[in-house]
Amino acid sequence: MDLIWLIPLLPGIGAAVNGLLGVRFFSRQVSGLVACAAMAGALGVSIYAFIQLLGVEPAARVHDVVVATWIPRIPLLLTDGTLGALEVPWGLRLDPLSGMMILVVTGIGFLIHVYSTAYLHDEPRGGYARFFCYLNLFCFFMLMLVLGSNFLVMFVGWEGVGLCSYLLIGFWYQKKSASDAGKKAFLTNRVGDFGFILGVFLVLMTFGSLDFRVVAEQAAAMPIELQFGTLSLICLLLFVGATAKSAQIPLYIWLPDAMEGPTPVSALIHAATMVTAGVYMVGRNAVLFSHAPIILEVVAIVGVLTALLAASIALVQNDIKRVLAYSTVSQLGYMFAAMGLGAFAAGAFHLMTHAFFKALLFLCSGSVIHAMAGEQDMRRMGGLRKHLPITFLTMIIGTLAIAGVPPLAGFFSKDEILLKAFLGNKVLWVTAVVTALMTAFYMYRLISLTFFGEYRGPAWGGHDEAAHAGDQVDHGHGVWHGPHESPRAMTVPLMALAVGAIVAGLVGIPAVLGGNNAIEHFLEPSFTVSAAVHADAEHEAPAAAASHEGAAEGAGHAISGGAEVGLMAFSVAIALFGIFMAYRFYVQNPQISEGLAQRWPRAHRLLLNKYYVDEAYDATVISGTMGGARGLWTIDRTIVDGAVNGAGTLTMIASWFSSLTDRSVVDGVVNLVGRTVEKTSFALRLMQTGLIQNYALLMLLGVFAFVTALIFAK
C-alpha cells in the first residue's frame, strides 16, 4: 500500500511520453502501447494495493502515504481566536471507498484505452498520440482526485479532470459543434467549481484543517444542525460543485453536448469516472453531510428530480449517444438521491455497477457508430443484430443491467436505492420508480430501433434492398461496405465489461436473498468516524454520533423480509413492463409510437427539445451575460475610453496653445531683444572704424554739442 503513489504516476508518465515524444516521433502502435501499458501498470498496482487492504482488519482499513510537503507549516488564525498552524501535505489515502474507485478508474480505463486503439485507427499519427496523451492525463487527475487525503489534493484532481474533459470533448476541434461543446462543459464546470472552492475555504475557516479525517472527526463531535448553519452552508457550497461535475439540475446542460467527443471519451469520462466525482465527494464527506440534514434533503430532491427530468427527455431522443447521455444524467440523479437519503453505501454501490454497464453501453454505441460509418441517428439503423452479433449481445446485457433485471448488476444496486427511498421518503420512492420505468422503456427503445425491425440505413455494394439501391455512400472512411462487426480490439473490451455488468452486483446481494450485502459492510468505515474516535467523543456528543450512525445506515425504519422481496418483485415487474412496452411500440407495432407523437405533438416536441432548457439559458443567462458584456464594452468604449481620449485631446490642444505661446510670445520677446541688440551693436560697430581722423571729428562734434548745450543752458 505504500506504493499507491505509483497508481496516478504511471498514467501521468504515459501522458508526458506521448505528449512530448509521441506526437512527433511515435507510430500509432507505439503511442497506443505506451498509453495502454501505463494503464495496465496502474491497474496492477491498484489490484495489489486493494488485496493488501482486504487483508487488514475492517476498522483499520485506512492507509496514508505522504508523497511530499506541499504547503509548509504556516501560522493560521483559528476560529476560536488562537494561533495555530496550517500544513498541507501532498497526501494520498487508501481506504475502502478510494480502493473501490481506483479499481473502477484503472480497470474500466484500461479497457477503454484498448478499445480506443481500434476506434481511432483513422486518426492522423500526431492526433492519435495526442488523444492518448489526453486520455492518460485524465486518468492521472481522476486517480489523484479519488486518492487525495485532503481537500486541496482533491481539488487539483477536480480541476484537472475538468481541463481534460474540455480537451477530450473538443478533440475534433475543427468541428465547430465539438469545440463549442468543450467550451460549454468548461464554463459550466467553472460555475460549480466556484462554489466548491468557497466551500473548501469555509472548511478551513471552520475546522482549521483540510484533511478529510480531521474534518470528519471534528464534525462528528458537533451537534447536528436542525436549522441552517455553518455546516449546512459548507455542504451546500460543496454540493454546488457536485451539481456541475456530476451534471445535476441546474448545471446538467453540458453533459448531453459532450457527446460531440469521441465515443471512448463518452464512456470513460461521462459515464464511468469524471461525472461520478461529485457523488464520490459527497460520500467522502459523509460525516459532514450527515450533520447537515437540510442539505441532505436538498441533495435527495435535486437527485430524484434530475433522474426524472433526464429520463423523460431520453424517451424521444434519436441520437444513440444522446439517449445514453441523458441516461447517465438520470442514473447520477439516482446516486445523489441515495446519498441524500443517507444511504451512502448504496449510492457508492450503484456508482460502481453503473460504471460497468454504462461504459459497456457507450462502447457498444461506438461499435454501432463504427459499423455504420459514423451514423448516430437510430432512425437510420435497424436490423443490425445479424450484422453485429457480439455488439448486440453485449448491449442487451448492458440494457438489462441498467433496467434492473436480475441477476445483473444494476438490479442489486438500484433495488438497494429503491429500498432506502421506500423507507426514507415515499414521494421520492414513487418518483424513483417512475424513473425506473422510463429507464427500461427508453433503453429497450434504443435496442429496438438499432437492432430490430427492418434495416433503414443507406445501402452498400451488394445490398439487395431495392428501396436503397444505388445508395452506396462514403462517410469519410473510404467506400462503405455495409454494417460489420468491430475488430477484436473493440469487441474484447465489450465482452469484459459485459462480464462486469453481470457479476459486479454479486458483491451486494441483500440478506433477504441469502447474501450479506458485502459491499455495504466493506464501504461503511469510509462513511463513519473510526470506533476509537467515537469512543473518545462519546461523552461529548453521543447524540451526534448516534444520529450519524443512523444516517449512514440510510433508513430509520425496519421492514420485513417478505415486504422487501415484494418491493424487489415490484421493481422487476416495472422494468419488464417498460421493456415490453418499448418492444410493443417499436418492434411489434411501430405505428403506435408514431400515433402517440401525432396525438400529443406539443408534449413530444417539448421532450424532443429537452424542455427548452438550453433555449431558456440562451434567453436569460447567456443573453444576459452577453448583453452585460456588450454594455460594459460600450461603457468602456464611450465613457472610459472617451474620458481617456478626451483627456488626450485636451492635452494635445493645451500643448498646441503652449507651443504657440512659447513660439510667439516667449521666443518672440527673446528674439526681439536679440535682434535689437544685434541691430544696435551693428550701428555702434559702424562707429568703430579705426581711423584717427574719424575719431577726431567725433570729438570735435562732441565738443560742439557740449558748448551748444552750455550756451543754451545759460
Side-chain angles (χ1 to χ4, degrees):
M1 289 189 285
D2 289 333
L3 297 177
I4 58 174
W5 55 272
L6 281 174
I7 299 173
L9 180 63
L10 291 173
I13 292 174
V17 171
N18 266 325
L20 297 175
L21 301 176
V23 294
R24 293 175 176 268
F25 308 113
F26 290 172
S27 65
R28 292 184 184 85
Q29 292 78 7
V30 174
S31 296
L33 180 62
V34 168
C36 291
M39 287 306 300
L43 175 60
V45 179
S46 298
I47 294 173
Y48 177 70
F50 189 78
I51 292 173
Q52 285 188 310
L53 187 68
L54 290 177
V56 179
E57 288 295 324
R61 284 177 179 163
V62 178
H63 186 74
D64 288 330
V65 174
V66 176
V67 179
T69 297
W70 184 8
I71 299 178
R73 186 176 294 272
I74 57 175
L76 177 69
L77 184 64
L78 301 179
T79 53
D80 59 0
T82 61
L83 189 65
L86 171 68
E87 184 177 10
V88 181
W90 194 275
L92 307 179
R93 176 167 298 154
L94 182 66
D95 66 353
L97 182 59
S98 61
M100 181 192 76
M101 290 298 297
I102 61 175
L103 290 182
V104 169
V105 175
T106 58
I108 295 178
F110 171 69
L111 293 174
I112 293 174
H113 275 70
V114 173
Y115 178 97
S116 302
T117 59
Y119 188 84
L120 286 127
H121 70 281
D122 289 330
E123 283 296 312
R125 182 189 57 79
Y128 194 85
R130 179 168 59 90
F131 177 82
F132 279 106
C133 169
Y134 294 164
L135 215 58
N136 269 176
L137 187 64
F138 167 81
C139 290
F140 164 77
F141 282 119
M142 188 66 200
L143 291 166
M144 195 62 68
L145 187 155
V146 300
L147 283 172
S149 64
N150 57 69
F151 279 98
L152 277 191
V153 176
M154 172 185 273
F155 188 71
V156 170
W158 189 276
E159 290 297 294
V161 294
L163 169 64
C164 293
S165 175
Y166 163 75
L167 295 173
L168 285 164
I169 294 170
F171 176 72
W172 288 319
Y173 56 85
Q174 302 92 341
K175 188 168 66 168
K176 187 176 186 302
S177 58
S179 61
D180 288 346
K183 288 181 285 188
K184 185 176 183 179
F186 189 81
L187 293 174
T188 305
N189 275 274
R190 298 291 73 73
V191 175
D193 293 349
F194 180 69
F196 184 82
I197 194 63
L198 287 179
V200 172
F201 289 154
L202 193 53
V203 166
L204 181 60
M205 289 178 60
T206 304
F207 300 103
S209 175
L210 295 175
D211 187 271
F212 291 126
R213 182 187 295 177
V214 174
V215 171
E217 291 173 355
Q218 293 190 32
M222 298 173 68
I224 292 177
E225 288 188 347
L226 299 179
Q227 294 182 344
F228 195 90
T230 302
L231 296 184
S232 298
L233 180 58
I234 290 173
C235 293
L236 181 61
L237 290 171
L238 295 178
F239 181 60
V240 168
T243 58
K245 196 68 70 180
S246 295
Q248 298 296 288
I249 293 174
L251 300 177
Y252 70 93
I253 54 173
W254 67 272
L255 184 60
D257 288 357
M259 298 303 107
E260 292 291 339
T263 301
V265 174
S266 304
L268 179 63
I269 295 182
H270 309 120
T273 53
M274 177 188 133
V275 291
T276 62
V279 181
Y280 170 81
M281 185 271 294
V282 174
R284 174 57 69 197
N285 295 283
V287 177
L288 192 61
F289 275 84
S290 67
H291 281 68
I294 297 174
I295 305 305
L296 275 185
E297 187 174 351
V298 171
V299 172
I301 293 173
V302 169
V304 77
L305 290 180
T306 302
L308 182 64
L309 176 78
S312 63
I313 293 174
L315 292 174
V316 299
Q317 298 301 308
N318 297 310
D319 187 303
I320 188 171
K321 287 177 65 177
R322 282 190 177 268
V323 173
L324 295 177
Y326 281 105
S327 172
T328 298
V329 176
S330 182
Q331 295 302 306
L332 289 166
Y334 254 100
M335 299 174 205
F336 276 109
M339 295 288 177
L341 290 166
F344 300 107
F349 182 28
H350 194 58
L351 183 158
M352 185 265 288
T353 59
H354 174 265
F356 282 100
F357 55 70
K358 185 52 65 67
L360 170 62
L361 289 169
F362 265 114
L363 294 187
C364 285
S365 73
S367 182
V368 171
I369 295 167
H370 179 270
M372 295 296 292
E375 182 61 66
Q376 294 184 202
D377 193 330
M378 296 183 294
R379 294 170 296 183
R380 291 180 57 80
M381 296 179 186
L384 295 181
R385 67 183 186 279
K386 61 184 178 181
H387 301 290
L388 291 76
I390 298 176
T391 301
F392 169 67
L393 179 61
T394 53
M395 200 163 196
I396 281 287
I397 292 173
T399 298
L400 295 178
I402 194 174
V405 175
L408 303 179
F411 164 73
F412 296 102
S413 58
K414 183 178 289 187
D415 182 74
E416 188 71 15
I417 294 175
L418 290 175
L419 174 62
K420 301 298 185 183
F422 182 82
L423 296 175
N425 189 307
K426 297 299 188 296
V427 175
L428 295 184
W429 176 76
V430 171
T431 309
V433 167
V434 173
T435 302
L437 175 63
M438 291 182 178
T439 301
F441 180 85
Y442 68 67
M443 284 307 306
Y444 208 79
R445 171 181 178 267
L446 182 151
I447 293 291
S448 301
L449 290 175
T450 304
F451 295 102
F452 289 99
E454 295 183 356
Y455 177 77
R456 300 178 298 275
W460 62 93
H463 191 237
D464 58 359
E465 292 188 22
H468 301 287
D471 196 24
Q472 191 174 14
V473 294
D474 181 352
H475 288 279
H477 300 270
V479 177
W480 183 57
H481 298 289
H484 55 280
E485 188 58 273
S486 300
R488 288 183 61 83
M490 294 172 65
T491 56
V492 170
L494 295 184
M495 292 184 281
L497 287 170
V499 172
I502 294 172
V503 305
L506 299 181
V507 297
I509 299 176
V512 72
L513 296 181
N516 63 347
N517 208 339
I519 186 70
E520 181 173 348
H521 296 300
F522 173 72
L523 291 174
E524 193 60 34
S526 297
F527 306 131
T528 58
V529 182
S530 66
V533 173
H534 275 303
D536 293 339
E538 189 173 9
H539 65 283
E540 298 177 6
S547 299
H548 167 64
E549 290 170 358
E553 290 297 324
H557 309 283
I559 186 173
S560 66
E564 186 174 348
V565 171
L567 288 173
M568 289 182 186
F570 179 71
S571 67
V572 173
I574 286 291
L576 294 178
F577 179 71
I579 291 173
F580 169 75
M581 293 300 293
Y583 182 77
R584 171 84 173 155
F585 285 10
Y586 295 98
V587 178
Q588 287 186 335
N589 195 352
Q591 291 78 16
I592 296 178
S593 61
E594 297 171 3
L596 290 174
Q598 293 172 1
R599 186 173 180 181
W600 287 291
R602 292 185 178 179
H604 182 268
R605 190 163 51 249
L606 182 67
L607 295 178
L608 191 62
N609 288 281
K610 302 157 289 187
Y611 294 103
Y612 298 99
V613 172
D614 284 313
E615 289 79 2
Y617 270 112
D618 287 339
T620 55
V621 177
I622 296 175
S623 296
T625 302
M626 296 299 293
R630 283 191 292 268
L632 290 174
W633 176 73
T634 301
I635 292 173
D636 180 70
R637 184 185 59 180
T638 57
I639 298 178
V640 179
D641 287 352
V644 173
N645 295 334
T649 302
L650 290 176
T651 302
M652 291 176 63
I653 294 173
S655 66
W656 182 80
F657 275 110
S658 176
S659 173
L660 181 64
T661 302
D662 181 71
R663 186 173 63 250
S664 302
V665 179
V666 179
D667 288 352
V669 171
V670 173
N671 294 334
L672 178 62
V673 172
R675 290 192 181 95
T676 302
V677 172
E678 179 185 11
K679 296 299 183 182
T680 304
S681 64
F682 179 78
L684 293 175
R685 191 178 68 241
L686 293 177
M687 299 172 60
Q688 306 298 323
T689 61
L691 299 176
I692 295 175
Q693 58 268 32
N694 289 344
Y695 296 155
L697 177 62
L698 288 174
M699 292 174 64
L700 180 63
L701 290 174
V703 170
F704 176 77
F706 177 76
V707 172
T708 301
L710 183 64
I711 292 172
F712 280 104
K714 291 181 177 183

Short mmCIF file of all heavy atoms in Angstrom, two decimals, residues 169 181 254-263 266 270 319 321-322 324-325 362 376:
data_model
loop_
_atom_site.label_atom_id
_atom_site.label_comp_id
_atom_site.label_asym_id
_atom_site.label_seq_id
_atom_site.Cartn_x
_atom_site.Cartn_y
_atom_site.Cartn_z
N ILE A 169 -13.47 16.48 -25.08
CA ILE A 169 -14.73 16.77 -25.77
C ILE A 169 -14.45 17.53 -27.07
O ILE A 169 -15.06 17.26 -28.11
CB ILE A 169 -15.66 17.59 -24.86
CG1 ILE A 169 -16.09 16.75 -23.66
CG2 ILE A 169 -16.89 18.06 -25.63
CD1 ILE A 169 -16.82 17.55 -22.59
N ALA A 181 -18.98 22.52 -27.67
CA ALA A 181 -19.35 21.64 -26.56
C ALA A 181 -18.25 21.62 -25.50
O ALA A 181 -18.54 21.59 -24.29
CB ALA A 181 -19.61 20.22 -27.08
N TRP A 254 -24.33 20.63 -19.82
CA TRP A 254 -23.12 20.39 -20.60
C TRP A 254 -22.96 18.94 -21.02
O TRP A 254 -22.35 18.65 -22.05
CB TRP A 254 -21.89 20.82 -19.78
CG TRP A 254 -21.62 19.98 -18.57
CD1 TRP A 254 -22.12 20.16 -17.33
CD2 TRP A 254 -20.81 18.80 -18.50
NE1 TRP A 254 -21.68 19.19 -16.48
CE2 TRP A 254 -20.86 18.34 -17.17
CE3 TRP A 254 -20.03 18.10 -19.41
CZ2 TRP A 254 -20.17 17.20 -16.74
CZ3 TRP A 254 -19.35 16.97 -19.00
CH2 TRP A 254 -19.42 16.54 -17.69
N LEU A 255 -23.51 18.01 -20.24
CA LEU A 255 -23.22 16.59 -20.48
C LEU A 255 -23.77 16.06 -21.80
O LEU A 255 -23.05 15.38 -22.54
CB LEU A 255 -23.72 15.75 -19.30
CG LEU A 255 -23.39 14.26 -19.37
CD1 LEU A 255 -21.89 14.04 -19.43
CD2 LEU A 255 -23.96 13.53 -18.16
N PRO A 256 -25.04 16.34 -22.17
CA PRO A 256 -25.51 15.84 -23.47
C PRO A 256 -24.70 16.37 -24.64
O PRO A 256 -24.42 15.63 -25.59
CB PRO A 256 -26.97 16.32 -23.52
CG PRO A 256 -27.36 16.46 -22.09
CD PRO A 256 -26.14 16.94 -21.38
N ASP A 257 -24.30 17.64 -24.59
CA ASP A 257 -23.50 18.20 -25.67
C ASP A 257 -22.10 17.60 -25.71
O ASP A 257 -21.43 17.63 -26.75
CB ASP A 257 -23.38 19.71 -25.52
CG ASP A 257 -24.68 20.42 -25.84
OD1 ASP A 257 -25.64 19.73 -26.23
OD2 ASP A 257 -24.75 21.66 -25.70
N ALA A 258 -21.65 17.04 -24.59
CA ALA A 258 -20.31 16.45 -24.53
C ALA A 258 -20.20 15.22 -25.41
O ALA A 258 -19.09 14.71 -25.63
CB ALA A 258 -19.96 16.10 -23.09
N MET A 259 -21.32 14.73 -25.93
CA MET A 259 -21.28 13.57 -26.83
C MET A 259 -20.62 13.89 -28.16
O MET A 259 -20.42 13.00 -29.00
CB MET A 259 -22.70 13.04 -27.08
CG MET A 259 -23.40 12.56 -25.82
SD MET A 259 -22.50 11.27 -24.93
CE MET A 259 -21.89 12.17 -23.51
N GLU A 260 -20.27 15.15 -28.38
CA GLU A 260 -19.54 15.53 -29.60
C GLU A 260 -18.13 14.96 -29.59
O GLU A 260 -17.49 14.87 -30.64
CB GLU A 260 -19.48 17.06 -29.73
CG GLU A 260 -20.81 17.72 -30.01
CD GLU A 260 -21.34 17.40 -31.39
OE1 GLU A 260 -20.55 17.01 -32.26
OE2 GLU A 260 -22.56 17.53 -31.60
N GLY A 261 -17.62 14.58 -28.45
CA GLY A 261 -16.30 13.97 -28.38
C GLY A 261 -16.32 12.54 -28.88
O GLY A 261 -17.38 11.95 -29.08
N PRO A 262 -15.15 11.93 -29.08
CA PRO A 262 -15.11 10.52 -29.48
C PRO A 262 -15.82 9.64 -28.47
O PRO A 262 -15.83 9.93 -27.27
CB PRO A 262 -13.60 10.23 -29.54
CG PRO A 262 -12.94 11.56 -29.72
CD PRO A 262 -13.81 12.54 -28.99
N THR A 263 -16.40 8.55 -28.93
CA THR A 263 -17.19 7.67 -28.06
C THR A 263 -16.39 7.14 -26.86
O THR A 263 -16.93 7.04 -25.76
CB THR A 263 -17.79 6.52 -28.87
OG1 THR A 263 -18.60 7.08 -29.90
CG2 THR A 263 -18.65 5.62 -28.00
N SER A 266 -16.73 9.54 -24.15
CA SER A 266 -18.04 9.47 -23.50
C SER A 266 -18.08 8.33 -22.50
O SER A 266 -18.63 8.45 -21.41
CB SER A 266 -19.13 9.28 -24.56
OG SER A 266 -19.09 10.31 -25.52
N HIS A 270 -17.64 10.51 -19.21
CA HIS A 270 -19.02 10.92 -18.99
C HIS A 270 -19.94 9.76 -18.66
O HIS A 270 -21.15 9.86 -18.78
CB HIS A 270 -19.52 11.69 -20.21
CG HIS A 270 -18.59 12.78 -20.60
ND1 HIS A 270 -17.97 12.86 -21.82
CD2 HIS A 270 -18.10 13.82 -19.88
CE1 HIS A 270 -17.17 13.91 -21.86
NE2 HIS A 270 -17.24 14.51 -20.68
N ASP A 319 -30.64 10.41 -31.35
CA ASP A 319 -29.20 10.18 -31.40
C ASP A 319 -28.84 9.12 -30.35
O ASP A 319 -29.14 9.29 -29.16
CB ASP A 319 -28.45 11.48 -31.13
CG ASP A 319 -26.95 11.36 -31.32
OD1 ASP A 319 -26.34 10.49 -30.65
OD2 ASP A 319 -26.38 12.11 -32.11
N LYS A 321 -26.14 8.24 -28.89
CA LYS A 321 -25.28 8.66 -27.78
C LYS A 321 -26.00 9.65 -26.86
O LYS A 321 -25.74 9.68 -25.67
CB LYS A 321 -23.99 9.28 -28.32
CG LYS A 321 -23.02 8.26 -28.89
CD LYS A 321 -21.78 8.91 -29.47
CE LYS A 321 -20.95 9.60 -28.43
NZ LYS A 321 -19.71 10.19 -28.98
N ARG A 322 -26.91 10.44 -27.40
CA ARG A 322 -27.64 11.38 -26.55
C ARG A 322 -28.61 10.65 -25.63
O ARG A 322 -28.84 11.09 -24.50
CB ARG A 322 -28.37 12.41 -27.40
CG ARG A 322 -27.44 13.49 -27.93
CD ARG A 322 -28.20 14.64 -28.55
NE ARG A 322 -27.25 15.67 -28.97
CZ ARG A 322 -26.88 16.70 -28.22
NH1 ARG A 322 -27.38 16.82 -27.00
NH2 ARG A 322 -26.01 17.59 -28.66
N LEU A 324 -28.00 7.80 -24.30
CA LEU A 324 -27.14 7.32 -23.22
C LEU A 324 -26.65 8.48 -22.35
O LEU A 324 -26.44 8.30 -21.15
CB LEU A 324 -25.95 6.56 -23.81
CG LEU A 324 -26.31 5.27 -24.56
CD1 LEU A 324 -25.07 4.64 -25.18
CD2 LEU A 324 -27.00 4.28 -23.63
N ALA A 325 -26.48 9.66 -22.96
CA ALA A 325 -26.05 10.81 -22.17
C ALA A 325 -27.12 11.19 -21.14
O ALA A 325 -26.82 11.40 -19.96
CB ALA A 325 -25.76 11.99 -23.09
N PHE A 362 -21.97 2.65 -23.76
CA PHE A 362 -21.33 3.66 -24.60
C PHE A 362 -20.39 3.02 -25.62
O PHE A 362 -20.38 3.41 -26.80
CB PHE A 362 -20.58 4.68 -23.74
CG PHE A 362 -21.38 5.90 -23.43
CD1 PHE A 362 -21.76 6.18 -22.14
CD2 PHE A 362 -21.75 6.79 -24.42
CE1 PHE A 362 -22.51 7.31 -21.83
CE2 PHE A 362 -22.49 7.92 -24.14
CZ PHE A 362 -22.87 8.19 -22.84
N GLN A 376 -25.23 8.19 -36.36
CA GLN A 376 -25.66 8.12 -34.96
C GLN A 376 -27.17 8.18 -34.79
O GLN A 376 -27.68 7.96 -33.69
CB GLN A 376 -25.01 9.26 -34.15
CG GLN A 376 -23.51 9.16 -34.04
CD GLN A 376 -22.88 10.22 -33.16
OE1 GLN A 376 -21.70 10.51 -33.28
NE2 GLN A 376 -23.64 10.81 -32.26
#
